[in-house]
Amino acid sequence: SQQGEEDPQALSIQEGENATMNCSYKTSINNLQWYRQNSGRGLVHLILIRSNEREKHSGRLRVTLDTSKKSSSLLITASRAADTASYFCATDASNTGTASKLTFGTGTRLQVTL
Amino acid sequence: DAGVIQSPRHEVTEMGQEVTLRCKPISGHDYLFWYRQTMMRGLELLIYFNNNVPIDDSGMPEDRFSAKMPNASFSTLKIQPSEPRDSAVYFCASSSESGRVTYNEQFFGPGTRLTVL
């Protein structure tokens, strides 16, 4: 089964509103990453948060990580129509610190309307 | 940099035919990943390579699937014979291990949409 499960599966908001997506996972992780996928395109890396970090910001993105609850959230502030996409969390469960495979969640489809 | 390059972008074939998908990773990246994405199963890792060597192929669905990486700049995913249930978007991604600690951000190609009739 998928390591990460996103919630909600779909989200529709108006431009200017904030969008919050959640991700839950099952095992201990090294880091957690968020990716965006526009329709018909490949995934694009947005932000990475390490297991010893609790919060991270990048532009309009804010990511939190709660390792005790095995959950993460992605907040997009002041959303724009161009933010319309699917968002995936991906977990790295390696404990060696070397590059290894990621396990992707099921994704949240975000629709931002004008 | 041109990013990860995949070809073809679209492939339509008939059941039983051989299909070969191609990938050129980002120059200098030493990890290459093949994924399959479907509505039902989401994004699944099929196989990944490190320095051209297959590391984990546990996601390869069955013997009909094979992947090779003859050199650092090229990889193929082959399905022989193809079946309708293989219809999906296949992504290639690459990443780089830098120094002693890496956070393996992966860079994805645009994908190949495969339709098996």
Side-chain angles (χ1 to χ4, degrees):
Chain A
S1 62
Q2 297 275 1
Q3 163 76 313
E5 298 289 336
E6 276 93 338
D7 168 53
Q9 290 188 341
L11 179 62
S12 182
I13 60 174
Q14 289 191 323
E15 199 171 48
E17 294 181 335
N18 296 340
T20 299
M21 289 158 269
N22 304 296
C23 169
S24 60
Y25 56 92
K26 298 177 182 177
T27 65
S28 297
I29 61 171
N30 183 323
N31 66 74
L32 185 144
Q33 304 177 30
W34 285 91
Y35 286 77
R36 182 187 73 224
Q37 183 180 32
N38 290 88
S39 181
R41 303 285 189 91
L43 281 73
V44 175
H45 181 267
L46 293 176
I47 192 167
L48 178 151
I49 187 165
R50 305 174 205 176
S51 59
N52 62 353
E53 296 177 316
R54 292 296 167 259
E55 188 172 312
K56 202 162 184 179
H57 297 254
S58 176
R60 294 185 295 114
L61 304 180
R62 172 178 171 257
V63 171
T64 62
L65 179 64
D66 187 334
T67 53
S68 66
K69 295 182 180 178
K70 291 186 169 60
S71 68
S72 173
S73 68
L74 172 67
L75 169 67
I76 304 174
T77 60
S79 63
R80 306 167 182 170
D83 295 328
T84 295
S86 291
Y87 292 81
F88 295 86
C89 68
T91 51
D92 170 12
S94 68
N95 56 10
T96 62
T98 60
S100 66
K101 64 183 182 182
L102 298 176
T103 304
F104 285 82
T106 52
T108 293
R109 294 187 307 279
L110 173 65
Q111 176 76 42
V112 181
T113 57
L114 297 173
Chain B
D1 196 318
V4 176
I5 299 172
Q6 290 186 248
S7 65
R9 293 294 310 276
H10 302 274
E11 177 80 30
V12 180
T13 190
E14 291 188 345
M15 183 174 62
Q17 295 297 307
E18 177 180 295
V19 175
T20 299
L21 311 181
R22 297 173 176 78
C23 174
K24 176 179 169 55
I26 292 173
S27 178
H29 281 191
D30 47 7
Y31 283 82
L32 184 140
F33 305 82
W34 281 101
Y35 292 90
R36 177 173 68 178
Q37 186 177 39
T38 62
M39 288 295 294
M40 291 296 294
R41 300 176 66 88
L43 193 65
E44 304 173 278
L45 176 67
L46 300 177
I47 185 172
Y48 79 95
F49 296 81
N50 176 220
N51 291 322
N52 314 336
V53 176
I55 303 300
D56 184 347
D57 65 355
S58 59
M60 296 286 264
E62 34 192 289
D63 292 345
R64 298 184 297 106
F65 286 70
S66 62
K68 295 182 179 180
M69 192 164 186
N71 57 63
S73 60
F74 183 66
S75 177
T76 59
L77 177 67
K78 185 177 294 186
I79 308 172
Q80 166 63 20
S82 58
E83 296 182 2
R85 59 192 169 119
D86 301 331
S87 297
V89 181
Y90 290 81
F91 289 102
C92 175
S94 68
S95 68
S96 173
E97 181 178 35
S98 57
R100 295 182 58 189
V101 180
T102 183
Y103 304 111
N104 65 312
E105 167 190 349
Q106 295 186 13
F107 295 81
F108 281 73
T112 295
R113 182 174 295 277
L114 173 65
T115 303
V116 183
L117 303 175

